[in-house]
Amino acid sequence: MNDHHLSDGSARLDLDRARRTDIPEAVYCAGKTTEQSVAIVGRLLSAGTDAVLATRTTPEQRDALHALAEPTAAGGTSLLWCPRPDSGRSVAVVSAGTSDLAVAEECRLTLRAFGHRTELVTDVGVAGLHRLTSALAEIEPHEAIVAIAGMEGALPTVLAGLVRQPIVAVPTSVGYGSSFEGVTALLSMMSSCSPGVSVVGIDNGYGAACAVHRILGASA
């Protein structure tokens, strides 16, 4: 196994993961110190085995990581170095509201790490259904769709009744009291009456991108 420990023993890097699973190890920075985040990203960059992605970073972590090595791209709380070459595959990342953009940016940047092209389609929630139908021309040319929504989480169900592409749904913690920080949207998406919708966890833009990457790989 190609494992590498940090000197303080706080992390054991899995440099073989991309070969095994085609998904490189990402650095989830929430809960890590700035020093730990920098050490892990630095070791991954020096190994040079694949794209390097840092997610859920704080402003302090982002400043330190920028100083370590200028990222290729940044979005929301995510930073990306050394993305894979263009795969020729494309994904529509569709968000119900502007409040969902942080999750959408995490998803989009992860897809870029894999080399996939993305188009971000925003503010097409079902409260104004005409906004979604008028955006279908932007969505339909893509090979897969990530649909991101909070509140009652209806967007993926409506989309799945209109298009043929595989859809990965992401519930977000956006909404009023009865949204229960995304639980309502999660249960709604899992209970969708449109067949074939896949659902990831609340606010998990990274996981949605990984699921789409596996779908595209299986269909290649």
Side-chain angles (χ1 to χ4, degrees), residues 146-158:
V146 178
I148 302 167
M151 301 291 187
E152 83 295 343
L155 176 63
T157 292
V158 175

Side-chain angles (χ1 to χ4, degrees), residues 51-54 70-74 78-83 109-110 112-114:
V52 177
L53 186 68
E70 189 66 27
T72 307
S78 300
L79 302 173
L80 170 64
W81 297 263
C82 311
L109 207 61
T110 304
R112 184 173 175 188
F114 296 134

Side-chain angles (χ1 to χ4, degrees), residues 40-209:
I40 295 169
V41 169
R43 184 68 65 85
L44 291 173
L45 288 171
S46 66
T49 56
D50 209 324
V52 177
L53 186 68
T55 66
R56 308 296 172 95
T57 60
T58 65
E60 180 184 357
Q61 288 169 335
R62 287 196 291 279
D63 288 344
L65 290 169
H66 273 275
L68 171 69
E70 189 66 27
T72 307
T77 65
S78 300
L79 302 173
L80 170 64
W81 297 263
C82 311
R84 293 179 183 178
D86 189 344
S87 68
R89 317 300 293 274
S90 65
V91 182
V93 179
V94 183
S95 73
T98 307
S99 298
D100 303 310
L101 277 179
V103 177
E105 286 291 346
E106 179 178 273
C107 179
R108 191 173 65 87
L109 207 61
T110 304
L111 287 166
R112 184 173 175 188
F114 296 134
H116 304 316
R117 303 170 190 171
T118 63
E119 181 169 2
L120 185 61
V121 181
T122 63
D123 201 22
V124 291
V126 300
L129 194 57
H130 61 286
R131 298 181 301 183
L132 177 60
T133 54
S134 65
L136 288 178
E138 302 171 57
I139 298 169
E140 289 183 311
H142 299 279
E143 297 170 75
I145 299 167
V146 178
I148 302 167
M151 301 291 187
E152 83 295 343
L155 176 63
T157 292
V158 175
L159 259 179
L162 296 172
V163 300
R164 61 183 299 169
Q165 290 90 337
I167 293 177
V168 175
V170 187
T172 72
S173 51
V174 171
Y176 298 107
S178 59
S179 68
F180 300 113
E181 297 184 337
V183 173
T184 296
L186 172 67
L187 295 177
S188 176
M189 291 175 183
M190 293 181 70
S191 304
S192 173
C193 64
S194 294
V197 175
S198 300
V199 185
V200 299
I202 297 167
D203 292 336
N204 193 2
Y206 169 77

